[in-house]
Amino acid sequence: MAPLDAIARTSLLTAALRAEETRRPDRLYEDPLAARLVGALGGDLLGQVADASGPRDTDPGQGGPGRHVPGQKVPSTVDFNAIRTRYFDDYLLTQVRDGGYPQVVMVAAGMDTRAHRLPWPRAIELFELDRPGVLEAKESALGDEPVHQRVTRRPIGVDLLGPDWTDALVAAGYRPEEPSLWLLEGLLYYLTDDETRRLLSRVADLTAPGSRIAADMVSATTLTAPAVAPLLEVFERQGCPWLSGHDEPEALFAEYGIEAEAVQPGEESAHYGRWPDPVHPRHVPHVERVFLVHGVRK
């Protein structure tokens, strides 16, 4: 597999997590292609992340309910990634089935194999945006692996922080005047606040009313929470630190004309029997959180 830069290497971690989930008897989904995409580096990253994360304990005597005991591990990255993948799998399939979206755009698609593995209910064009080296590495690993019969896959090698990716998307056949379905998964916390806002603005400019956008985010508190520090240190060492978080993702998305809802893993619609930790109500301040966000372009 060709060398990848720091942020691109996180796609190998996602592949490793999905390969591990696929091997579980109680798996939330199957990704039979993930093991072919991991490589030695992906396995090493998974080991580091697994060592830094896991179940955590809370002690009301050390700051009240939900406060972390110093030295305890952060919430399980393995469980979160399983929930996140399944949640967005279900979301994409439901929206394509019920909304009839003909265009699906995967932003920073990485080693994602949904074009191959999901049972898409309608014919779609699936646009995969990522850096050329990432897409080339995936193509090399997958070879001639066929996509689902209802999918026309269009990989597009671009720099999502550069000026030209929107032109490249349109040149590949994307139609901004028609409704579309977008997923920004495993990306936004690697961007600064300004970069996140520029990306959301460009997505909003490219989407017709009625289009849907989904993403995952962390709260701003997460970036400085002592309990999360061991996990953040792993990504810092790899050269891809987490750079931004937002405590009110609905308000952020609303700035770009997207009426959004944010769900926390462990809530009823995002639990799947796998979230081991307490879920704090949104009104509780200063809590590290992960959000699964989805909304409609108004």
Side-chain angles (χ1 to χ4, degrees):
M1 185 174 287
L4 302 175
D5 65 29
I7 292 179
R9 289 197 296 269
T10 64
S11 66
L12 305 179
L13 169 62
T14 299
L17 286 160
R18 290 177 175 172
E20 286 292 306
E21 181 68 18
T22 298
R23 286 189 278 267
R24 290 179 61 133
D26 62 343
R27 56 187 173 269
L28 297 185
Y29 58 86
E30 284 191 74
D31 187 347
L33 300 177
R36 292 162 56 179
L37 298 164
V38 174
L41 181 56
D44 179 64
L45 285 171
L46 176 59
Q48 293 183 52
V49 167
D51 187 58
S53 67
R56 62 183 173 179
D57 296 325
T58 56
D59 181 357
Q62 302 222 20
R67 306 302 296 177
H68 292 280
V69 180
Q72 295 298 323
K73 290 188 175 183
V74 302
S76 172
T77 301
V78 173
D79 291 320
F80 166 65
N81 273 272
I83 289 170
R84 182 181 74 179
T85 300
R86 172 63 183 273
Y87 184 86
F88 286 139
D89 281 1
D90 291 349
Y91 179 77
L92 291 169
L93 292 175
T94 297
Q95 294 303 326
V96 168
R97 182 194 67 211
D98 297 345
Y101 292 95
Q103 305 179 106
V104 178
V105 183
M106 308 286 290
V107 180
M111 299 298 157
D112 188 89
T113 64
R114 288 184 173 100
H116 304 266
R117 67 176 179 84
L118 287 188
W120 295 96
R122 296 173 182 262
I124 60 165
E125 291 180 273
L126 194 149
F127 300 88
E128 293 188 3
L129 300 172
D130 214 318
R131 297 180 187 181
V134 176
L135 296 177
E136 289 166 8
K138 180 159 69 172
E139 302 297 331
S140 176
L142 293 184
D144 295 328
E145 187 69 35
V147 299
H148 188 277
Q149 60 183 355
R150 295 192 178 101
V151 173
T152 301
R153 177 174 172 262
R154 303 194 187 281
I156 307 167
V158 292
D159 177 0
L160 291 164
L161 299 181
D164 301 325
W165 70 265
T166 54
D167 293 338
L169 178 60
V170 173
Y174 175 80
R175 301 170 299 283
E177 69 279 3
E178 295 184 13
S180 53
L181 178 60
W182 290 63
L183 179 60
L184 293 73
E185 182 181 24
L187 171 65
L188 297 183
Y189 25 84
Y190 297 111
L191 306 182
T192 66
D193 182 67
D194 284 346
E195 289 167 344
T196 295
R197 290 175 178 277
R198 284 200 301 272
L199 182 60
L200 289 176
S201 178
R202 298 181 82 176
V203 170
D205 289 343
L206 279 167
T207 49
S211 296
R212 292 189 173 270
I213 299 96
D216 61 312
M217 310 181 73
V218 298
S219 65
T221 302
T222 300
L223 302 180
T224 56
V228 188
L231 181 62
L232 299 183
E233 288 168 5
V234 171
F235 292 105
E236 184 81 38
R237 287 197 305 269
Q238 293 295 325
C240 47
W242 291 10
L243 298 176
S244 68
H246 298 269
D247 291 320
E248 298 295 338
E250 297 94 339
L252 174 67
F253 275 58
E255 292 180 30
Y256 304 97
I258 303 165
E259 185 178 285
E261 173 188 359
V263 175
Q264 299 181 86
E267 292 180 355
E268 184 176 358
S269 64
H271 194 294
Y272 305 105
R274 286 284 292 277
W275 189 249
D277 294 298
V279 181
H280 300 284
R282 290 287 298 278
H283 68 268
V284 177
H286 310 306
V287 173
E288 57 271 25
R289 306 178 191 272
V290 180
F291 297 112
L292 303 170
V293 188
H294 59 86
V296 62
R297 180 79 165 88
K298 306 305 287 186

